[in-house]
Amino acid sequence: MLLFFTVGLLVHLVFFASIFDIYFTSPLVHGMTPQFTPLPPPARRLVLFVADGLRADALYELDENGNSRAPFIRNIIMHEGSWGISHTRVPTESRPGHVALIAGFYEDVSAVAKGWKENPVEFDSLFNESKYTWSWGSPDILSMFAKGATGDHVFAYSYDANDEDFGAQDVTKLDTWVFDKIKEFFHAARRNQSLFSKLKEEKIVFFLHLLGIDTNGHAHRPSSREYKDNIKLVDEGIKEIVSLLKEFYGNDEKTAFVLTSDHGMTDWGSHGAGHLSETFTPFVTWGAGIKYPQKVSAQQFDDTLLKEYKLEYWKRQDINQADIAPLMASLIGVPFPLNSVGILPVDYLNNTDVFKAESMYTNAVQILEQFKVKMTQKKEVTLPFLFTPFKLLSDSEQLSILRKARSYIKQRKYDEAVSLCKDLIHLALKGLSYYHTYDRFFLGISVVLGFVGWASYASLLIIKSHSSITRGVSKEIKKPSRDLLTCSFVAIGVLIAFFLLIQGCPWTYYMYCLLPVPIWYAVLREYQVFQDLVTSLLTLPLSHFVGYLLVCTLGIEVLVLSFFYRYMLTAGLTVFAGWPFITQLWTRAKRISLSWIFFCLLLAVFPLMPVVGRKPDIFLVMGAGLMVLLLSLFVVTSLIKRNDGFVNGELLLHLLQMLSIVLSMCVVYSTHNSLLRKQGLPLINQIVSWIILASSFVLPLLSPTVLPKRLVSILLSSMSSYLLLSTGYEALFPLVLSCVMFVWIHMEQETLQQCGVACKQKVSNIQFTCNTDISQFRQLSLEDTRRAFFLVFFLLTAFFGTGNIASINSFDLASVYCFLTIFSPFMMGALMMWKILIPFVLVMCAFEAVQLTTQLSSKSLFLMVLVISDIMALHFFFLVKDYGSWLDIGTSISHYVIVMSMTIVLVFLNGLAQLLTTKKLKLCGKPKSHLI
């Protein structure tokens, strides 16, 4: 059993890792030659303002009184510069957004493993290409560009990371700090000749990272007064800096200004996914080399945003976020960042036509260089007869287009040259994508073969060990046949390894391609079991076989659809509520059946509720706590009625758990009020929260191992932690889910009795124990397939019942404010992950009880659950896409990652559930008591 699950875990880890090689590999290549426009640039210096977390509508729209929140920026739009919307890509996080802005490429999601703080791979940036760059702002953002720069020409000034406190009284101080430091910097430069001379150089950049808006958005929501007032403060600060620079440089009109944002924010204060409020960010630019405002009678956009902004007569020019990097490089005359895939938005430039054409030509050559390097790399590691080049951009085609573009420039056909260069860029980008995904089909086939093989082997193992289909049949494979089979698969493995070796493939490719070989060898060794299965199926009436197949297919599809539509969980739970009527349980156990119907329908309400965090309500959290206390009082009352000595310890434990619940409620209420008053997270609240969290792992182990008592103890301890992590109605979710689980245990025992299997004990007397009597186990039946399906469905309900966490923006940072308010991605992520896993743990503990009450081997039921999960994972593997909107792409990948994670995590949760249900700690040397 242990060996099988160890191998299974390794297999699933390989399948899980494959998605990163297939979809999440870095798109970057190295070895290109820097390209720059051979004409004098319009600007000597550039100032980049990035207002972190600023939504486009929040900046552009007018307030309730018809006034702009950013009067200086609005004046720029109407009288001095150009504006539009910068479209970001998923994931809408700070690091990828800044990389797109400053380096010109869309970073792969593997950067999340470094908390969006470190460079997973080295890359070039505008800062690196500049003569000097001075930057002020968050240490999380500034450090990655300072570390990635060559030489010592990028200077970063940042505040302490602990200042990024969501619970601080005034987080606008983060932006005030930046503006104040710049003023001090220029004031000091007048007395420092070395610094003064550097500031008078050309090709320099000033970068201001303004984090206050993002922090206020997380803490108070974008609709809050704090968020909107922060925009006003930033607007006033930018006005002062612009005035300061004009004065310092004597109004030489050689400064270009850019204002934008790395990402937007949802109405509920989160970001990371592809909602328009997250991907629509403002873009305003003015100064040297930038076109003045253009009045138009009609716009090319048919959305209603222009009318909402009251800017319908000022030309709006939208760009992609990565296009900003080549624009800034062109303005100050530095080489385009080597890894940039941005397309220069020439319509923003106020310069000669020849400058626009030359800049566009440089942009095309720079992206074509990446294409050439990528093609060469792929060609070197592929056998000549297997290499398939990108036919739309052959060597001759490249030369032809470049010569034609150069000819247009010489003939002063600048518009034609710009258009041709854009066509070349689009072809080069297609070619880059082609070579980046060159091995995707090959790897996909290998992973699918492994998936199908593993699911087949697990299914055959279930049939062989836990069913009556092969009972009494034990035919061994003849030795010559077995030797032939072994030799054949060894030969196949050697051939695959040799093929990968001569192609110079990465070591991970060996895992993906060789793994199916031993898996399918194990499958074919069980061909006798497969033969018995086919024989058994042929004895079934065709209508029964088709019926079972349709039910299984429908069940799997419902599970898959629940990832996309939460209301499918509601539909499933509603069907579950009718289970007693289908199985005649209604007549045998009416009270239990009524409880099942009531709690299933009650649980079915949660998937219809808004996603967690969007409508926080502290009073619902308090209400959930009171309901748990009422349940605890009921348990305590039943204990007091008994008079034996053993109860004293039990009673003390329950009182301790009730105290934890009360403390959790007090901490939640106190923290909520403290943050509302902008007084931060009280230290005592933080200490109590961490103590409650730590104790929740220990207290259940002190309770008796009698089934209902241990499960109640696990619920109470889990709820004390869950309340601290709740912001609204989700606090009620584990309580209702646990009620369904308790009734499910009784329903399964009733079902077993109905099938004629004698139950030796009542549920109230069953003991969780590590040493289960194997003789009590029985063979699998069709009812057990339904039990396995129920478990997977309840796990998905626990996963998606209060929100679709396939979307990153479903995570609400407010959930962890009882534990910490200073930004720490890994710690916050771990706490939010534990919040997700608590309902998971409750379901798995109930599943342990179901296995005991139904006298079924945990291995057999767990194997069926893994097979169902693997079929779902294979389903999502085929649904992964790399086309369409970035929201669709990100969602399809995250679905696969989630279902694969669920399969892997199930192994660990099964062990955790066994630990929580079967282990008992002894205190003060007291002998362990058993209560039957």
Side-chain angles (χ1 to χ4, degrees), residues 831-850:
L831 286 168
M832 288 189 283
M833 193 55 64
W834 178 240
K835 179 183 177 180
I836 291 166
L837 289 179
I838 285 174
F840 242 139
V841 171
L842 294 174
V843 173
M844 289 303 294
C845 289
F847 185 55
E848 286 290 315
V850 167

Side-chain angles (χ1 to χ4, degrees), residues 233 295 478 480 509 787 912:
L233 182 143
K295 283 250 185 165
K478 293 179 181 178
Y509 282 34
R787 290 184 180 100
L912 179 60

Side-chain angles (χ1 to χ4, degrees), residues 76-109:
I76 292 289
I77 292 171
M78 292 181 170
H79 300 104
E80 293 187 40
S82 297
W83 77 286
I85 289 175
S86 168
H87 297 271
T88 70
R89 285 190 181 180
V90 175
T92 46
E93 296 289 347
S94 289
R95 180 195 160 85
H98 280 90
V99 168
L101 284 171
I102 298 165
F105 70 92
Y106 300 103
E107 192 174 34
D108 59 291
V109 190

Side-chain angles (χ1 to χ4, degrees), residues 295-333:
K295 283 250 185 165
V296 291
S297 56
Q299 300 266 15
Q300 60 177 331
F301 304 97
D302 57 359
D303 54 39
T304 60
L305 297 179
L306 288 161
K307 289 184 178 179
E308 292 175 7
Y309 302 159
K310 305 294 183 188
L311 291 170
E312 58 265 40
Y313 302 116
W314 281 267
K315 187 177 181 181
R316 167 183 154 191
Q317 302 177 69
D318 285 14
I319 59 173
N320 291 319
Q321 194 173 47
D323 300 342
I324 298 173
L327 174 64
M328 294 190 294
S330 176
L331 287 171
I332 58 174

Side-chain angles (χ1 to χ4, degrees), residues 46 48-50 94-106 123-130 133 135 141-142 144-146 154 205-209 258 260-262 321-329 334-341:
L46 175 100
L48 172 62
F49 301 97
V50 176
S94 289
R95 180 195 160 85
H98 280 90
V99 168
L101 284 171
I102 298 165
F105 70 92
Y106 300 103
F123 60 85
D124 191 26
S125 71
L126 175 78
F127 297 169
N128 191 42
E129 296 292 353
S130 67
T133 292
S135 55
I141 299 301
L142 302 192
M144 68 179 180
F145 291 105
V154 178
V205 177
F206 302 103
F207 171 43
L208 287 72
H209 177 244
V258 172
T260 187
S261 176
D262 53 347
Q321 194 173 47
D323 300 342
I324 298 173
L327 174 64
M328 294 190 294
V334 299
F336 289 14
L338 292 175
N339 305 113
S340 171
V341 294

Side-chain angles (χ1 to χ4, degrees), residues 769-777 852:
T769 175
C770 298
N771 304 314
T772 310
D773 183 7
I774 298 175
S775 65
Q776 292 181 349
F777 292 157
L852 279 177

Side-chain angles (χ1 to χ4, degrees), residues 113-330:
K114 308 227 177 198
W116 305 120
K117 289 185 178 182
E118 297 293 331
N119 303 346
V121 287
E122 291 303 316
F123 60 85
D124 191 26
S125 71
L126 175 78
F127 297 169
N128 191 42
E129 296 292 353
S130 67
K131 185 87 177 266
Y132 296 108
T133 292
W134 288 272
S135 55
W136 297 266
S138 167
D140 297 339
I141 299 301
L142 302 192
S143 61
M144 68 179 180
F145 291 105
K147 288 178 184 176
T150 56
D152 56 353
H153 64 287
V154 178
F155 307 99
Y157 306 95
S158 57
Y159 37 76
D160 190 85
N162 290 330
D163 291 337
E164 298 176 18
D165 189 347
F166 297 112
Q169 186 170 2
D170 182 17
V171 296
T172 59
K173 66 182 181 183
L174 299 176
D175 297 340
T176 306
W177 184 94
V178 172
F179 293 131
D180 289 344
K181 288 297 179 182
I182 295 173
K183 293 172 189 174
E184 294 173 10
F185 174 79
F186 279 98
H187 184 69
R190 296 185 185 277
R191 302 190 304 271
N192 185 328
Q193 188 57 43
S194 173
L195 177 59
F196 186 84
S197 61
K198 287 180 180 178
L199 290 172
K200 291 295 183 177
E201 296 274 4
E202 61 181 15
K203 301 180 180 179
I204 62 174
V205 177
F206 302 103
F207 171 43
L208 287 72
H209 177 244
L210 306 165
L211 188 61
I213 293 173
D214 181 75
T215 310
N216 263 318
H218 284 306
H220 305 289
R221 308 291 188 264
S223 59
S224 66
R225 177 55 51 197
E226 290 83 358
Y227 186 87
K228 294 171 182 176
D229 286 346
N230 206 150
I231 295 174
K232 290 180 181 178
L233 182 143
V234 166
D235 180 68
E236 291 166 2
I238 291 174
K239 181 180 179 180
E240 292 176 8
I241 298 305
V242 170
S243 176
L244 176 69
L245 285 166
K246 284 182 178 179
E247 180 189 349
F248 186 86
Y249 288 108
N251 287 317
D252 65 352
E253 296 186 350
K254 287 293 182 180
T255 308
F257 298 91
V258 172
L259 167 66
T260 187
S261 176
D262 53 347
H263 56 75
M265 189 170 287
T266 60
D267 292 339
W268 49 97
S270 64
H271 55 82
H275 192 273
L276 292 183
S277 60
E278 299 167 271
T279 60
F280 276 28
T281 58
F283 180 71
V284 183
T285 181
W286 68 99
I290 297 297
K291 274 186 180 177
Y292 287 100
Q294 302 172 67
K295 283 250 185 165
V296 291
S297 56
Q299 300 266 15
Q300 60 177 331
F301 304 97
D302 57 359
D303 54 39
T304 60
L305 297 179
L306 288 161
K307 289 184 178 179
E308 292 175 7
Y309 302 159
K310 305 294 183 188
L311 291 170
E312 58 265 40
Y313 302 116
W314 281 267
K315 187 177 181 181
R316 167 183 154 191
Q317 302 177 69
D318 285 14
I319 59 173
N320 291 319
Q321 194 173 47
D323 300 342
I324 298 173
L327 174 64
M328 294 190 294
S330 176

